[in-house]
Amino acid sequence: MSEDEAVQTALSNNSAFQAALAQLGMAHGDAVQASLLANPQFLAYFPTSAKEGQYTLFAPIESYLLRPTRVKVANREYRRIGETLVQNGLDLARNVRVAYADLAVATQQAQLAREALQIRGEVFDVTEKRLKEGDISELETITAKVDRLNAKAAAGVQDQTVAIAEARLATLIGLTRLPTPLVPLPLQSPALPTLDEQQVIDQALACRPRPRPFGCRQRS
């Protein structure tokens, strides 16, 4: 699974993002409902006994008066939820990319730890053979034993780190259980653009916030 595929899967399966997407749909329905007018009602009463015929028309006058305010509030809430959805999507994509990078780094470190364990094991085997042949004493084999044990412990720690990073990425993606271990693709170094120093300074000066004079109040 590549990094982009992980982000796309997270946007499709993440429960928090899907909940925000459902809220956007409900806000859209509220905005449409706010722009509608209630149907007027026309009632006719036929004369019975001494009561004459009556005609009554009920028109939703309050709808005509409150409709602009109601539509404005509903549209503002709809835009707010839309902006929140965009921000949640960006945050989710960022978290997935960070978790993917952590998993890739942890996987590479675990591979290096296993290679170190293999090398320490080979050194220990050579040391044991030299001990059997009488080239070295048993005291000189302690260092090889300690190094092999340390390498084994480090490899176990790195395997646990990989499992934790994989679980974190799976949670962000929205997969509760992975059928096979998730193997990330090698990360590519980003290409840094060449920037002009004076252009960057001019852009920073143009985008910096301007302080208000002391004692001035912001007009509403």
Side-chain angles (χ1 to χ4, degrees):
M1 178 181 290
S2 64
E3 184 178 355
D4 294 336
E5 291 175 352
V7 173
Q8 294 175 3
T9 306
L11 293 176
S12 301
N13 295 336
N14 187 267
S15 58
F17 184 77
Q18 293 299 321
L21 188 61
Q23 290 181 359
L24 181 65
M26 291 186 293
H28 176 67
D30 293 340
V32 174
Q33 183 67 27
S35 61
L36 300 178
L37 294 175
N39 295 326
Q41 299 180 1
F42 179 78
L43 302 177
Y45 297 95
F46 293 96
T48 57
S49 66
K51 187 176 181 180
E52 298 179 354
Q54 297 180 359
Y55 299 94
T56 307
L57 176 63
F58 294 96
I61 301 178
E62 71 279 1
S63 299
Y64 295 99
L65 299 178
L66 301 178
R67 179 176 177 274
T69 303
R70 188 169 61 246
V71 170
K72 183 178 180 181
V73 172
N75 290 334
R76 184 177 298 176
E77 181 67 13
Y78 181 54
R79 288 193 300 269
R80 186 190 67 81
I81 295 178
E83 293 175 357
T84 303
L85 179 64
V86 173
Q87 185 63 43
N88 291 341
L90 294 176
D91 293 341
L92 178 62
R94 179 202 60 195
N95 295 335
V96 170
R97 293 184 186 277
V98 172
Y100 190 91
D102 292 341
L103 178 58
V105 172
T107 303
Q108 295 177 4
Q109 290 179 350
Q111 183 178 359
L112 293 176
R114 287 190 293 269
E115 293 178 358
L117 177 60
Q118 182 179 0
I119 295 174
R120 296 299 181 184
E122 294 175 356
V123 172
F124 177 75
D125 293 339
V126 173
T127 305
E128 288 292 323
K129 291 180 180 179
R130 293 183 61 187
L131 177 62
K132 291 180 181 180
E133 294 178 358
D135 294 341
I136 59 176
S137 62
E138 186 176 359
L139 181 61
E140 295 177 352
T141 62
I142 296 178
T143 303
K145 292 180 181 179
V146 172
D147 292 341
R148 189 187 66 168
L149 292 176
N150 291 335
K152 185 176 181 180
V157 171
Q158 291 300 326
D159 291 338
Q160 293 295 327
T161 303
V162 171
I164 294 174
E166 183 179 352
R168 179 187 176 190
L169 180 60
T171 302
L172 291 174
I173 291 177
L175 302 177
T176 56
R177 181 179 300 177
L178 296 177
T180 57
L182 182 60
V183 180
L185 298 178
L187 298 178
Q188 299 180 358
S189 301
L192 298 178
T194 303
L195 300 177
D196 186 9
E197 181 179 358
Q198 186 61 36
Q199 183 179 1
V200 174
I201 294 176
D202 296 340
Q203 184 177 1
L205 292 176
C207 297
R208 67 175 182 176
R210 297 180 179 179
R212 293 181 297 172
F214 179 77
C216 294
R217 297 182 179 177
Q218 186 177 4
R219 297 181 179 178
S220 58

